[in-house]
Structure formats: structure tokens, C-alpha cells
Amino acid sequence: MVQKPKSINLLIPQYADSSLVLKSNHGIPFKSSVLKTPTPLDGSINKSHFEPGNYGSPSILQARLFTNARKGLKPQVSNHKNVKYDGTPTPGIPWVSPMSATPLKDISRTSLGVLPDNDLHHGQFDSDLPEMEQNGFAEQLQSRGPLYSHKVTANVIAMSGGHCGFPSDSAQVSGKRIHPERSDDGLRRMTYGDDAIDIGSSGREKGFTADDGIVNGGPRWRSDESSDEEDEHNLERAVKGASYRTPRRGIRRSSCKMRIVSSPFLLAEPLIKCGFLAGLHFCSMSSNSVSVLLSSFSLACVEYGFFYLVNHGVEEELLARVFEESRKFFSLPLAAKMNLLRKEHRGYTPLYAENLDPSSSSKGDSKESFYIGPLEKSCLNQWPSQVLLAREFQNFSLLGDPPWSLTIAKLCELGHFEEQIFGASAHSDYGMITLLVTDGVPGLQVCREKFKDPQTWENVFHMNGAFIVNIGDMMERWTNCLFRSTLHRVMPTGQERYSLAFFLDPNTECIVQCLGSCCSESRPQRFPPIRSGDYLKERLMLTYGS
Ligand SMILES: O=C(O)CCC(=O)C(=O)O
Ligand SMILES: [Fe+2]
């Protein structure tokens, strides 16, 4: 039976052009954008909670970009695009007819950017959204039950003589090699086309002290809702083991008070050099304010479609055991794994069986996967043995009866550099939302502007204990592209790489159609309604070629 979506309130942030300026003792003003009050769509705004510079909670880390225009650094120009759905296949997103994008009116989408006159603006593309949310999906999820799908993946691409790009002195971006330059202000820049991302040197390198308000080469804002110790503890937990330095960013907290946090980011120099750094948001589940939490989620979904989730409550030991089981599974003889060949999207998919970018001419992705779905009665899951894998995943039955699946993968050694082969080729996820954990081996990249040509890819680095969360295509359709389903891929690294992905999809019967709050006369519906199950089926057919 086809279920009609019901109404919910969805917090959608709106943006303002105001900005705060923080002055360091180097006399360099750093500017950060400031969010206007996130507005619940029923129109009620609690202004006492959200003021400029008063956004988030001590446990919510909102990473923002900073610029330093006075020093002559090239501003990151606002990526304002008029995206036309004219039937042209999107790179990495195969044309799925008749369920994918339809030729509708032009929609402009402005993303975060730093404008040349020292102002850092947020896009205002949603200011025309209607105030009332009529067509929600959360309630539907609760009543119908979404689909869960788990995937454990290991990418193995061993390069002999080839240049993998990790870590290296230069980065391979869109087929071009990018060389980092050090400018006379000591900042490292990597430029590609019209974009520039500044990667600041650490405070220590630049001779800053903690009193300078510089953390990681960039200033932060915070409030004093929690103790300094608690805050630093949370932050350090979140980034413990991080092997990179964040780009300049601010952390907006719940009062305007600025404080200094000693930087827990100790970054390996070679990794800084190896490419763009994705300035992803952090969201923390430990916030005691649901509205703040939702605002931070929706902001991350609007701006990037990718974010780190920390303090999520899933024990590291459990994840470690899952990775251990994955390794055991993939080291089984091929024949044993082939006995579990994928059926009903559960089971084993061998090397090159998946091609996440069917528009490419690649022979497939260099990964093995194993999918597990929900543990309903007529269990379609295939287990290698009563203990291997199965034991670790029994807990997922707590999620209820909607279908889900798990994938694990094993490395294959490639004797030579094969440019066309990715661990996972460029794609956006099909469903609603994905939670990803990796074993720490690098390789994941995101392309924030998927319609841009050429594409710019940024490295997403591993953070111990954090989930990487990303929006899927059906969520993008639901929100009429307000939430971004961001293109991503996994580059070959020359190392074994294991990952665990949890895909949350709408129930198969659910009709995914534009939420009332996400379309208006000036922002017309961009996709026709689709039945979730049909859409997933078609996307999977394209991925597997059958
Ligand atoms: O392994 C990863 O880091 C990402 C995998 C991925 O994007 C996917 O399976 O959809
Ligand atoms: Fe993905």
C-alpha cells in the first residue's frame, strides 16, 4: 500500500550576511560568517537561544571556514550555480529514468563562499521557503519503519610504482596534479582552477601562543555553557587520533564569549600537503538541546551533506570487533565467499562486481563487499558461519524489522597503476542517510559541487571514533536539493582498507516526494514522486549491471 507522507516540523536554517571579526595579535582580521537564527518552519523563533555568534552548544562543534583577505589570499568565490535539469546525466549519478531528475525550472543554489570584499556570506537560497511544513517524513519513518542496510567494505589497491596520492607532495585532483605553495604569509595554499583553500600552519609553527585566539591556525568561538575541561575533553575525544590539521574554522558556541582552546589537532606535515581538506561540520549527539542538535544537523546537511558525528554512543570496542570479523571474513577462501554470493542484496559481492559510477568505463570498483539486512523472520541474510559475523550483528535486530544489509570487502593486489580503478568510484548514496566508519586508512574524498566542471575533490580524513554521516539521493529529492547528496569516492591508497557503512533508506512502499516546505513558486519541485523501493532497485541494477 502506498503511504502518503504526513507532516512534521523540520528545522531549516536561514542565513544572514552578518559576520564577526576576530583580531589576532598579528593584526590580521579573521572573518567568520555568523548564522542567523535557525527558524523552525512553523515560524516560532526563540531569539533568546540563537543570536549572531550564539549558535550551538558546548558539545556541538560547528566548523566554519575563515578567510584572510587582507593578506591577499585569494577569496573562495561563492559557488553560485544555476543548475539546470535538462536530462543531462550528472557525473557520478547515472540517469535513472523515469525516476530521477526531470527537466524542470532552473534552480539556483548558492553555497557557502567568501566574497571578495572581506565578507563571508552564506547562500540565501532558501529564504523563499514557505513557513509551514506540510509534507514531512520523520513521522512516516516512525510509523512505517525505514530500511537499514549495513555494508562493510575493504578496498585493497596495491600500487607498484604508481603514485597513489596519499600521502604525497602533491594532490591528484580531477586528473590534474596540484602543488602546494607556501605564500609569504606562511600559509599553505593549494589552488585548483578558481578555488583556493587555505590550510593554516599550526599556532606553534607560526609562533602564536594560546592567548592569540588561534587554534590550528584559525580562531574559534565558544560559549561557557560547560566547563573548559569538559569541552576540551569532548573535543579531544572527537579528534583523538586525527591525522590531519583542520582548515581554518570557527566553532560557534552558545554565547558570544570567546575563549581559547588548546589545539588537539597535531597533524602530520605530509598529510597536509596531499590535497584539499574538506571542512566538514561536527555534530555531537551529547547535546542536551534537541533543537540545537537538529539545527546543527540541518546546517551540515544543507551546506555539505557530509559531517562528522561524535559522541554517538556506539562503543569503539564493538566497532573494533566488527572490523576484526570483517578481516576474518575476507580472508576466507574465495570459494567459501562465492557460496554466499549476493541475493536480494544480501551476501557477498566479489572484486569488481560493483561499479558505483556506471557512467565510467571502469571494469568495476576494487573492493569486495558483504551485505547484511535486517534480521526479520524470513531472514534473507547469509552468514559464513554461526559465529563469524553473525554474532556481532545480532544487536542490530534491536533496530526492528525493516530490512537492512551488511557488506564487507577484501583487498586485491593490482600489479600496476590503473587510473580508472577506484576503491569506490564517484557516486552519491542512493537512500536517505549513511553512517560510515573506516579503519583509518585514507582515501575518502568528497566533491562538494557535483555539477561543477572540472570537479574538485577534497580529502575527508579519518577521526577516531567519529562516524562520517552523509545524505543520500532520496533525502535530496525529499528536500528538493536543500539537503545535499554529496558526490564521494574512495581513492586507491596502496593499502588494505576496511569500512563499515550503515545505509538508512525509506521503507520500500514510501513515496518520496518533495516536502511542502522545500518548494515554492520560485523553487519548484525538481523531481517527480517516486516509490522508494523502485528507485533503489533501479540504482542497484545500474551498480551491478543486472
Ligand atoms: O568506504 C568508504 O569510505 C565509502 C564507501 C561508500 O561510499 C559506499 O559504500 O557508499
Ligand atoms: Fe557512498
Side-chain angles (χ1 to χ4, degrees):
M1 201 186 79
V2 173
Q3 182 94 353
K4 268 206 147 215
K6 296 174 188 152
S7 77
I8 58 155
N9 277 335
L10 176 66
L11 281 170
I12 305 288
Q14 294 182 338
Y15 298 104
D17 293 341
S18 55
S19 65
L20 282 179
V21 177
L22 177 70
K23 211 165 169 11
S24 82
N25 71 348
H26 281 220
I28 304 164
F30 293 97
K31 281 204 164 195
S32 167
S33 59
V34 172
L35 294 170
K36 199 175 157 184
T37 307
T39 313
L41 291 172
D42 62 10
S44 61
I45 304 168
N46 184 351
K47 290 232 189 255
S48 65
H49 262 76
F50 298 97
E51 296 296 343
N54 178 13
Y55 185 78
S57 78
S59 53
I60 291 195
L61 315 181
Q62 293 284 3
R64 311 285 309 141
L65 285 171
F66 288 78
T67 188
N68 181 354
R70 202 164 94 181
K71 280 296 220 182
L73 296 183
K74 190 176 178 190
Q76 195 184 351
V77 178
S78 174
N79 291 323
H80 183 93
K81 290 185 77 67
N82 287 317
V83 179
K84 218 177 213 163
Y85 284 89
D86 56 1
T88 315
T90 304
I93 303 179
W95 178 249
V96 186
S97 173
M99 295 179 290
S100 62
T102 45
L104 292 173
K105 277 175 85 176
D106 286 8
I107 294 276
S108 78
R109 177 171 188 156
T110 309
S111 61
L112 170 72
V114 181
L115 299 179
D117 57 353
N118 277 6
D119 287 332
L120 195 148
H121 297 256
H122 289 280
Q124 293 205 274
F125 56 94
D126 295 306
S127 54
D128 57 343
L129 290 178
E131 291 291 293
M132 281 299 290
E133 171 55 57
Q134 292 294 343
N135 183 11
F137 52 86
E139 197 177 311
Q140 183 178 14
L141 290 182
Q142 280 160 14
S143 60
R144 299 283 305 158
L147 296 170
Y148 299 92
S149 135
H150 275 86
K151 177 178 164 185
V152 182
T153 300
N155 305 124
V156 184
I157 301 186
M159 303 298 197
S160 63
H163 209 350
C164 306
F166 286 97
S168 90
D169 281 349
S170 55
Q172 183 97 33
V173 180
S174 300
K176 290 193 184 171
R177 208 154 268 290
I178 309 303
H179 294 277
E181 304 160 357
R182 199 184 269 279
S183 58
D184 55 9
D185 56 21
L187 293 171
R188 196 182 300 283
R189 281 188 293 163
M190 297 189 194
T191 55
Y192 179 70
D194 288 327
D195 292 318
I197 291 192
D198 300 328
I199 302 171
S201 304
S202 72
R204 200 178 309 150
E205 276 170 22
K206 297 178 80 177
F208 292 161
T209 67
D211 289 341
D212 295 326
I214 303 297
V215 177
N216 247 354
R220 285 181 182 162
W221 282 265
R222 59 148 288 153
S223 77
D224 54 357
E225 255 183 27
S226 69
S227 70
D228 293 359
E229 290 71 23
E230 186 192 325
D231 233 22
E232 278 183 33
H233 179 68
N234 285 343
L235 187 60
E236 286 191 38
R237 261 180 61 88
V239 298
K240 195 173 148 220
S243 53
Y244 67 98
R245 177 182 299 137
T246 50
R248 291 177 175 277
R249 61 181 58 183
I251 294 172
R252 205 167 290 101
R253 301 302 179 85
S254 52
S255 90
C256 280
K257 184 176 165 192
M258 195 197 90
R259 70 169 288 240
I260 312 303
V261 189
S262 64
S263 172
F265 296 89
L266 294 172
L267 300 154
E269 184 76 358
L271 282 169
I272 300 164
K273 294 178 183 173
C274 76
F276 294 146
L277 294 172
L280 300 189
H281 291 258
F282 291 83
C283 296
S284 170
M285 294 291 284
S286 71
S287 170
N288 48 17
S289 160
V290 172
S291 63
V292 166
L293 186 60
L294 289 179
S295 302
S296 88
F297 283 155
S298 53
L299 179 69
C301 295
V302 165
E303 290 203 333
Y304 231 118
F306 255 81
F307 59 91
Y308 295 105
L309 186 68
V310 296
N311 298 320
H312 45 67
V314 178
E315 288 171 8
E316 280 181 40
E317 294 74 40
L318 174 64
L319 294 173
R321 285 207 306 276
V322 170
F323 279 112
E324 189 48 39
E325 294 287 300
S326 296
R327 284 189 190 93
K328 281 189 207 158
F329 174 76
F330 287 112
S331 56
L332 290 174
L334 183 60
K337 290 180 286 185
M338 291 302 276
N339 280 338
L340 305 168
L341 208 54
R342 177 180 157 273
K343 291 185 203 94
E344 308 273 340
H345 201 44
R346 321 245 180 132
Y348 175 68
T349 61
L351 199 62
Y352 307 126
E354 272 184 30
N355 186 357
L356 285 166
D357 179 6
S359 69
S360 80
S361 54
S362 138
K363 66 177 175 182
D365 295 342
S366 177
K367 68 170 178 181
E368 297 174 66
S369 298
F370 184 75
Y371 287 88
I372 299 168
L375 308 170
E376 75 282 331
K377 271 193 197 131
S378 56
C379 188
L380 299 163
N381 288 320
Q382 312 188 54
W383 303 104
S385 79
Q386 291 222 322
V387 284
L388 189 56
L389 290 175
R391 195 183 43 195
E392 302 302 332
F393 289 94
Q394 294 309 320
N395 286 342
F396 286 117
S397 57
L398 295 174
L399 289 170
D401 61 5
W404 51 270
S405 69
L406 170 108
T407 304
I408 47 178
K410 185 195 169 187
L411 301 179
C412 70
E413 303 238 337
L414 300 183
H416 52 90
F417 179 74
E418 291 185 62
E419 209 173 293
Q420 289 299 307
I421 308 291
F422 291 88
S425 47
H427 68 285
S428 48
D429 291 350
Y430 315 150
M432 194 156 55
I433 202 155
T434 304
L435 306 184
L436 178 76
V437 198
T438 77
D439 63 357
V441 174
L444 182 62
Q445 295 186 328
V446 292
C447 171
R448 212 169 105 98
E449 297 295 333
K450 60 190 172 192
F451 302 110
K452 205 169 173 182
D453 186 21
Q455 290 171 338
T456 301
W457 290 91
E458 301 172 55
N459 296 323
V460 175
F461 287 103
H462 174 76
M463 290 209 156
N464 271 1
F467 287 160
I468 295 166
V469 182
N470 69 282
I471 293 298
D473 292 336
M474 276 200 267
M475 181 71 100
E476 189 176 71
R477 297 173 74 106
W478 240 326
T479 60
N480 212 19
C481 295
L482 176 65
F483 285 8
R484 287 166 184 257
S485 171
T486 306
L487 205 59
H488 55 284
R489 67 184 184 190
V490 182
M491 296 293 286
T493 63
Q495 298 170 69
E496 279 191 2
R497 182 178 182 281
Y498 292 84
S499 64
L500 170 68
F502 177 84
F503 300 104
L504 179 65
D505 301 323
N507 187 280
T508 45
E509 297 302 325
C510 173
I511 301 297
V512 177
Q513 59 187 336
C514 175
L515 296 167
S517 63
C518 298
C519 61
S520 64
E521 242 173 62
S522 59
R523 189 182 174 85
Q525 185 175 326
R526 303 170 85 177
F527 308 96
I530 42 136
R531 187 181 159 272
S532 164
D534 295 340
Y535 182 78
L536 279 176
K537 203 168 148 197
E538 189 145 356
R539 293 295 297 267
L540 288 172
M541 266 173 56
L542 285 162
T543 301
Y544 294 99
S546 63

